[in-house]
Amino acid sequence: MEERGMEIEAVKKLLQDKKRKDMAYEKILTSMCTYPHEIAAYAHEMFLEANLGDSGLFLGAKEMEEEAVRMIGELLGNENAFGYISTGGTESNIQAIHAIRNRKRRDGLKAMNVIVPETAHFSFDKIGDLLSIEVRKAALDDELRVDVKSVEELIDDKTICMVGIAGTTEFGQIDPIEELAGIAKDRDIFLHVDAAFGGFVIPFLQEQKYAFDFSVEDVSSISIDPHKMGMSTIPAGCILFRDESYLSELAVLTPYLTTGEQCSLLGTRSGASVAATYAVLKYFGREGMKKIVSECMELTRTLVQGAKAIGVSPVIEPVMNVVTLSLPAAEVDRVANALEAKGWRVSVTRVPKALRLVIMPHVKEETVKAFLDDLEAVR
Ligand code: 0PR
């Protein structure tokens, strides 16, 4: 830091220079984030200073958090679910496993394990590390859903939790949550559903309905991210528990604050993105959210049809707005690099190796057409 500060206009100029180096979302086909809706940006700015770590000082922000949690719970089949607005899927996943870990640790269990699908997001590797829990990875079926038999084989008397994913990061696939719930019930195991991406997509799909949320009796907790398909500002996730006692497992006493205890992983936390989440949910309603998802799915179909027309097939028929395209293994990186050279941002999946595209609300019809032209040219 310099001894003397700069003029405000000079700082603004610095910021503009930096902003020019950031990519605009238009040609980004790798991201699960997008432009926040304008009402989200408005709400965010209005509540910039609100700290929900000391929520007795910011009663309006606190009310919005409670209302957002209620609205999201209702969307996921239980308006009486318990939870809070987190910083995203990673924090929500951590807190779900943290809660059941604490419960089992009090019961005297040691050397615990959790079972996640091979497709699980890397946040579960962080969880294994942070909570000193073994993370066992279950195999997939042909459609890249978790193989329930493989999950069953991995269960032992130290298994405290199974995870199902509703909208896998790489393939946008939905695990068989009802079947996992059947095992959870029989074996009395906590079942966490990672719907960080799919939570704001699956309830609005027209073609097919999937049971993945609290409407499935033995689902214990769910992660869902407003900062992905929820059109909110970053950082906004949400962790919900069916049973309040699990949220209580996370409580830490905060005697000198306006609140007696905290269940969040963070201390100081943003009221701004909570306000943004609340504002978006109020503004769109179910109808508005359905329209966004329908548009993304329509473009997803256009992309898949166009790809097939030039001889490129999807790895699985897209279930949601994530498309993975099969190319000969030796060609995937070359094609991805050639597309990047044309200004696109695409990613490559691990197993099977394929080109991955996420069709977020910033992707428009002309973008898909231009992308297909470039794909045809470089393949
Ligand atoms: N669970 C699932 C199913 C996810 O897809 C993700 C993130 C998480 C949990 C973790 O969420 P947070 O990143 O909010 O903690 N999925 C994307 C990914 O890692 C996130 C992302 C978004 C990556 C934008 C890149 C990007 O540009 O691929």
Side-chain angles (χ1 to χ4, degrees), residues 112-268:
M112 300 170 233
N113 66 71
V114 301
I115 300 170
V116 307
E118 259 172 22
T119 38
H121 183 258
F122 55 77
S123 47
F124 289 96
D125 297 327
K126 297 183 184 179
I127 288 167
D129 180 24
L130 281 170
L131 298 175
S132 300
I133 289 181
E134 185 195 350
V135 178
R136 298 184 172 175
K137 299 197 175 170
L140 310 178
D141 67 15
D142 293 346
E143 289 290 299
L144 306 176
R145 286 179 288 247
V146 75
D147 178 351
V148 177
K149 275 207 203 74
S150 170
V151 173
E152 273 186 301
E153 280 163 18
L154 291 173
I155 295 176
D156 63 19
D157 57 0
K158 305 282 190 189
T159 302
I160 60 166
C161 175
M162 292 181 297
V163 175
I165 311 172
T168 57
T169 309
E170 289 178 296
F171 299 96
Q173 185 54 283
I174 304 172
D175 286 327
I177 304 299
E178 281 178 302
E179 288 178 52
L180 293 175
I183 305 173
K185 187 185 175 77
D186 291 347
R187 312 278 299 248
D188 192 22
I189 299 173
F190 190 95
L191 175 59
H192 174 64
V193 174
D194 181 354
F197 185 70
F200 282 110
V201 178
I202 303 166
F204 304 114
L205 290 174
Q206 296 303 294
E207 301 73 25
Q208 207 169 333
K209 297 291 163 203
Y210 297 86
F212 77 102
D213 60 13
F214 289 119
S215 61
V216 180
E217 217 176 286
D218 289 279
V219 167
S220 316
S221 59
I222 306 181
S223 303
I224 171 172
D225 282 357
H227 72 201
K228 295 192 168 75
M229 282 296 285
M231 311 289 288
S232 187
T233 54
I234 299 170
C238 179
I239 173 68
L240 294 176
F241 295 94
R242 183 190 295 276
D243 178 352
E244 190 174 15
S245 71
Y246 283 108
L247 190 60
S248 308
E249 294 289 351
L250 300 170
V252 170
L253 297 180
T254 54
Y256 60 89
L257 302 186
T258 53
T259 48
E261 60 177 41
Q262 256 179 28
C263 299
S264 54
L265 188 60
L266 304 191
T268 299

Side-chain angles (χ1 to χ4, degrees), residues 5 19 76 83 204 213 219 223 264 297 311 350-351 378:
K19 181 74 180 173
L76 299 179
F204 304 114
D213 60 13
V219 167
S223 303
S264 54
M297 290 309 294
R350 293 167 295 178
V351 187
V378 303

